Amino acid sequence: MQELLELTRELAGKELQPAVDAAERAGTFPREAFRLLGSSGLLGLPYPEQWGGGGQPYEVYLQVVEELARAWLAVGLGVSVHTLACFPLATAGTPQQQERWLPGLLGGDLLGAYCLSEPQSGSDAAALTTRAVSVDGGYRIDGVKAWVSHAGQADFYSLFARTSGDAAGPDRAHGISCLHIPASTSGVSAGPAERKMGMRASVTAQMIFDGAQVPADHLVGDEGGGFAIALAALDAGRLGIAACATGLAQAALDTAVGYALQRRQFGRPIIEFEGLSFLLADMATGVEAARALYLAAARRKDAGQPFTAQAAMAKLFASDTAMRVATDAVQVLGGYGYVEDFPAERYLREAKMLQIVEGTNQIQRLVIARALSRG
């Protein structure tokens, strides 16, 4: 594990950190960075080696994601999104599907995206209306997906669409299926990129499916069984977001401590002033707690134990911590925290997104509360 983390830190320090500022300002998608990570074996870490993955437990994989996010959140989160996109095939695909597609998906040449949310159905994911209608030998797909990371840049899309039932019906979750959609499929296109407050190098857009047709063997899992796959994928994906949030919080803390050591006021470094040093101590404690929480949840997952509530807790706490630590980092830097010459303002803009993506933190609280009510 240590060698893997050292490799990640080396790549992050040499390849990611020097490029992040310019790419975020220009909104340039870091496709070459993902190719580099893929060739280094870092895009398929939690999946079996027989399919081209790294065979690593989630406890190790998530620490790699944290290191990447510490250097460049768009890349760390992109690895988490790719892992999420591979999840349906890796866990619910047939042996034939896994042999056919997973080596390319996990080997580093391809990048994936996850299509669940829609313009009118965000937190209520079961209310989706995108349709996959059975036609001769396959499915025809019509609908629009929203908030898709890597939209238009991905090589494949894990799509959740309605194969039966009604979006407003009581059994609406039972009519949802999962499909593997290559980006080259006719009728698949991306809408204009969203103009986001942060994470500008990570393209987010709607994906449009206009009469797109795929063969029947692109159905992943049972017809009508897609919603269970989606929820299981999100449980794992929320751990990725927690790791990203911890990495971002660590980066903000590093910036604040580095500045406080160098900045002198009244004849001494400002870190020696109790009011500021206590603030930094609270920031450091929050980062360590977030890390411990996501690692504990990961160990439950690796042991085959239920971890849904723990994943929600980790995502909730880590992203709230990232927001608080990023805000405090801006305060430590004072006026310099508010300008683009220092990364603190970017960390603050990016942290807000982590409280929203893959289930808002209000949804995480709902998941946790439901687990408590079941005893």
Side-chain angles (χ1 to χ4, degrees):
M1 179 183 80
Q2 196 58 39
E3 290 182 358
L4 180 61
L5 292 177
E6 288 176 0
L7 169 65
T8 304
R9 291 189 190 107
E10 181 180 0
L11 287 175
K14 291 183 178 179
E15 304 294 338
L16 301 184
Q17 285 180 325
V20 58
D21 287 336
E24 286 294 336
R25 286 172 183 165
T28 304
F29 186 72
R31 190 65 178 88
E32 289 305 314
F34 290 114
R35 290 192 178 95
L36 174 63
L37 295 178
S39 65
S40 302
L42 299 181
L43 275 186
L45 285 175
Y47 296 121
E49 293 178 280
Q50 71 183 89
W51 301 324
Q56 295 294 324
Y58 250 70
E59 184 180 5
V60 173
Y61 153 70
L62 292 174
Q63 291 178 76
V64 170
V65 170
E66 180 189 335
E67 287 294 335
L68 295 172
R70 183 179 181 181
W72 191 350
L73 180 61
V75 174
L77 187 124
V79 171
S80 181
V81 167
H82 177 75
T83 303
L84 179 69
C86 294
F87 183 94
L89 276 170
T91 59
T94 65
Q96 293 79 12
Q97 289 174 327
Q98 291 167 345
E99 291 291 337
R100 177 181 176 186
W101 287 314
L102 281 178
L105 273 54
L106 302 179
D109 292 332
L110 305 179
L111 190 65
Y114 188 80
C115 297
L116 177 62
S117 294
E118 296 184 0
Q120 77 289 348
S121 65
S123 296
D124 185 11
L128 64 85
T129 59
T130 295
R131 287 272 176 184
V133 178
S134 181
V135 295
D136 289 341
Y139 293 91
R140 187 186 74 244
I141 304 155
D142 291 280
V144 177
K145 292 295 180 177
W147 310 113
V148 180
S149 297
H150 304 167
Q153 296 286 342
D155 300 293
F156 69 95
Y157 298 90
S158 290
L159 171 74
F160 294 88
R162 184 166 301 284
T163 48
S164 64
D166 187 273
D171 297 325
R172 62 190 189 278
H174 299 298
I176 296 170
S177 301
C178 180
L179 293 147
H180 174 74
I181 312 293
S184 59
T185 302
S186 178
V188 175
S189 62
E194 304 287 354
R195 299 175 63 187
K196 303 191 302 265
M197 180 169 71
M199 283 268 294
R200 293 167 181 165
S202 177
V203 63
T204 304
Q206 293 185 347
M207 286 300 302
I208 302 161
F209 299 86
D210 184 9
Q213 293 195 30
V214 293
D217 62 4
H218 282 53
L219 176 71
V220 181
D222 295 330
E223 187 170 293
F227 197 63
I229 297 172
L231 294 184
L234 287 176
D235 283 345
R238 283 165 182 162
L239 292 181
I241 299 302
C244 285
T246 304
L248 181 70
Q250 184 67 62
L253 175 63
D254 293 343
T255 297
V257 170
Y259 181 84
L261 286 168
Q262 296 178 8
R263 176 69 166 171
R264 297 180 68 86
Q265 293 284 273
F266 306 101
R268 53 179 171 156
I270 63 174
I271 200 170
E272 295 182 7
F273 291 95
E274 187 175 271
L276 191 139
S277 66
F278 281 13
L279 179 63
L280 292 170
D282 287 342
M283 294 162 67
T285 301
V287 174
E288 287 294 333
R291 183 175 294 120
L293 195 56
Y294 87 65
L295 288 175
R299 286 190 286 271
R300 289 183 64 91
K301 184 182 188 312
D302 290 333
Q305 299 173 345
F307 71 100
T308 295
Q310 287 77 15
M313 291 175 187
K315 193 271 182 184
L316 166 65
F317 185 83
S319 59
D320 279 354
T321 295
M323 190 66 192
R324 183 173 61 254
V325 171
T327 301
D328 289 343
V330 171
Q331 191 70 20
V332 170
L333 270 67
Y336 293 111
Y338 202 67
V339 297
E340 292 186 359
D341 300 296
F342 291 80
E345 61 84 28
R346 173 166 57 82
Y347 297 148
L348 178 56
R349 289 185 286 106
E350 292 176 336
K352 187 61 205 173
M353 179 274 301
L354 296 167
Q355 294 179 303
I356 300 170
V357 69
E358 289 194 32
T360 66
N361 282 3
Q362 287 70 32
I363 290 294
Q364 306 312 316
R365 290 178 171 90
L366 181 62
V367 171
I368 297 163
R370 284 176 174 171
L372 293 173
S373 70
R374 290 192 292 268

